[in-house]
Amino acid sequence: MAHAQALHAHLVLGSRFEHIEIAERTLLDLVAQADCNHDEQYWIVTALREAIANAVRHGNLEQPERKVRVDYRIEGRTVTIRVEDEGDGFDPSKIPDPTLEENLLRPSGRGIFYMQQFMNRVEFSCAPEGGTTVVMVKELLPNSRSDGNEE
């Protein structure tokens, strides 16, 4: 049964790829408390990893002194993750569609595509003082962990 109280956490990380593991472990702890099934955990964590990797690589240009802020909130069956970087911002509409034939072999654009596939809603915004924020929302399925069908 989902918790009546909201679950939340806030992290401030240096821009290093190895810090993705810290953010992942925090998220896994929260979604486990919310009785999230293993499949949903996998997709939510994958979206988080992509968002933070983009913040480190493209937003903060791998400058470790720049910060990545991650906020998690789980209310009922809704998981909301907010990732902020300190970069110059970008226009997500300018990212090439990785599913078009001419882009199939290009490495860019896949992270955003995955986030959009794995989450119910993904929104980008840029702050006037700089930085990009991505907010990702996932509506969890009703809990089915007690059905004995875990693999």
Side-chain angles (χ1 to χ4, degrees):
M1 180 174 184
H3 292 270
Q5 291 186 329
L7 301 169
H8 53 87
H10 175 75
L11 300 175
V12 179
L13 306 169
S15 289
R16 296 182 179 277
F17 292 111
E18 56 266 26
H19 291 164
I20 293 173
E21 299 297 325
I22 297 166
E24 178 180 336
R25 287 173 196 220
T26 302
L27 177 60
L28 285 170
D29 181 55
L30 290 172
V31 296
Q33 291 179 59
D35 293 328
C36 179
N37 73 49
H38 290 289
D39 287 343
E40 286 178 315
Q41 283 182 23
Y42 176 81
W43 299 120
I44 294 168
V45 166
T46 300
L48 172 72
R49 293 180 71 86
E50 293 293 342
I52 295 176
N54 282 347
V56 170
R57 179 178 295 119
H58 302 296
N60 291 345
L61 304 175
E62 299 183 44
Q63 297 174 6
E65 69 278 3
R66 287 185 169 186
K67 304 299 180 208
V68 176
R69 289 169 177 74
V70 185
D71 287 297
Y72 309 93
R73 186 162 192 82
I74 302 176
E75 291 185 272
R77 303 299 294 161
T78 303
V79 178
T80 303
I81 303 168
R82 176 185 176 104
V83 178
E84 295 180 27
D85 65 45
E86 296 179 344
D88 294 330
F90 80 108
D91 180 353
S93 69
K94 304 252 192 245
I95 303 298
D97 181 346
T99 64
L100 295 178
E101 187 173 347
E102 64 267 20
N103 297 326
L104 290 177
L105 299 178
R106 292 180 61 164
S108 64
R110 296 197 190 297
I112 292 172
F113 174 78
Y114 292 144
M115 287 185 272
Q116 292 169 333
Q117 297 304 304
F118 303 153
M119 303 296 280
N120 294 104
R121 192 173 83 234
V122 178
E123 298 171 354
F124 293 91
S125 61
C126 295
E129 65 276 3
T132 298
T133 300
V134 59
V135 176
M136 303 179 293
V137 177
K138 179 72 173 176
E139 299 294 339
L140 299 176
L141 297 172
N143 184 354
S144 60
R145 290 180 71 176
S146 62
D147 66 6
N149 225 0
E150 289 188 67
E151 293 180 19

